[in-house]
Amino acid sequence: MRQEWSPEELLASWTLVEGDWKLVANKTGATRLGFCLMLKFLEIEARFPEFVEEFPQPAVEYVAGLVKVPAAEPARPLRHGDRRRLWPCHYLPAPHRRR
């Protein structure tokens, strides 16, 4: 995913719409921000990110402002530069998780 986004592009691609807000209503903190970033990343790229560094920093900051969570939150527990894989199932509601 590209890392440079203009304000207009952020607004058009990373803004949460009504259905998105329904999906994140029961989430808080890092989970809420991470879920929103995964959701929008999936819409834009048609895949889930493998690493936390794939999220464009301008998008992280923009979405963090929307959901009122500090922008540093999606990196927890994954530290920036750690390169451990992100697993989408950690952000899905419980009925969708594999057992």
Side-chain angles (χ1 to χ4, degrees), residues 3-34:
Q3 296 295 308
E4 300 296 323
W5 293 76
S6 72
E8 295 80 19
E9 292 170 326
L10 286 172
L11 187 67
S13 298
W14 292 89
T15 299
L16 301 174
V17 296
E18 184 178 337
D20 299 338
W21 287 107
K22 290 178 183 177
L23 291 172
V24 301
N26 65 337
K27 293 164 184 54
T28 60
T31 301
R32 183 175 218 176
L33 179 54

Side-chain angles (χ1 to χ4, degrees), residues 8-99:
E8 295 80 19
E9 292 170 326
L10 286 172
L11 187 67
S13 298
W14 292 89
T15 299
L16 301 174
V17 296
E18 184 178 337
D20 299 338
W21 287 107
K22 290 178 183 177
L23 291 172
V24 301
N26 65 337
K27 293 164 184 54
T28 60
T31 301
R32 183 175 218 176
L33 179 54
F35 186 92
C36 291
L37 290 169
M38 290 279 223
L39 181 64
K40 290 307 191 180
F41 191 101
L42 178 64
E43 288 178 8
I44 296 165
E45 292 286 304
R47 67 176 180 89
F48 286 106
E50 291 187 55
F51 303 101
V52 71
E53 291 85 2
E54 287 190 70
F55 294 122
Q57 191 59 36
V60 172
E61 293 169 8
Y62 175 70
V63 174
L66 292 176
V67 298
K68 297 178 177 35
V69 174
E73 290 289 316
R76 283 186 18 210
L78 299 175
R79 295 179 305 269
H80 187 71
D82 197 3
R83 303 294 293 178
R84 282 185 274 174
R85 289 172 95 42
L86 289 172
W87 295 103
C89 63
H90 295 140
Y91 293 102
L92 294 174
H96 300 288
R97 289 187 182 162
R98 287 184 147 173
R99 298 187 195 273

